[in-house]
Amino acid sequence: MVRRHELTDAEWDLLAPLMPAHPRKGKRWADHRRVINAILYRTRTGIPWRDLPERYGPWETAAGRHRRWCLDGTWDRIAERLRINAATGRPLDVGIDSTLVRAHHHAAGAAKKGTRSGRNGTDPKRWAGPGAG
């Protein structure tokens, strides 16, 4: 049974060939599928790495692999592979319409409730210069 934030078998079949090979020397890597499931879980829920459920293994493994794959281009290869339209074999065009993106009013520099007008919510006379008010 596939859990809510985990890859299906069909999704894994697309990603498995894109995964880096195990190192020639040293310890074998933890299962790539379990690590990707951990990364997806963390991304979708917004939790800190340290709060990953135990079923995904040590959080250090998932965090380290995420960082390594960001640096070596693995995530770029995965993104490129997922952009290919399965029906036509051609890349999908993706666009974002910025008219639909709204910022919270605090992001626009709106005055906070209960503060005085002026620079950084302080007394405006303070910024008027020497001898003011």
Side-chain angles (χ1 to χ4, degrees):
M1 180 177 147
V2 176
R3 294 180 186 228
R4 183 172 177 213
H5 298 288
E6 297 184 357
L7 295 170
T8 64
D9 290 337
E11 291 168 335
W12 177 243
D13 290 341
L14 282 173
L15 298 181
L18 303 172
M19 295 294 103
H22 292 285
R24 294 177 192 240
K25 294 182 179 181
K27 186 178 172 184
R28 290 178 55 89
W29 285 355
D31 180 41
H32 289 314
R33 186 173 183 171
R34 185 172 82 169
V35 171
I36 288 180
N37 284 332
I39 294 168
L40 290 175
Y41 182 87
R42 188 236 177 211
T43 302
R44 291 177 179 162
T45 60
I47 63 171
W49 284 112
R50 292 176 183 262
D51 293 340
L52 275 173
E54 291 181 10
R55 69 178 179 264
Y56 296 121
W59 70 268
E60 295 93 344
T61 301
R65 195 84 56 89
H66 182 283
R67 182 179 185 281
R68 176 180 290 140
W69 288 350
C70 285
L71 295 174
D72 73 6
T74 299
W75 287 124
D76 293 333
R77 287 192 301 275
I78 290 172
E80 188 63 31
R81 169 69 178 179
L82 296 178
R83 279 183 5 110
I84 302 296
N85 186 336
T88 65
R90 295 187 318 216
L92 294 171
D93 292 325
V94 180
I96 298 174
D97 184 1
S98 63
T99 60
L100 300 177
V101 178
R102 295 179 183 229
H104 192 271
H105 66 273
H106 290 151
K112 296 179 183 177
K113 289 183 180 179
T115 61
R116 295 180 171 188
S117 61
R119 187 171 175 179
N120 296 331
T122 58
D123 185 6
K125 293 179 183 177
R126 179 175 172 198
W127 298 100

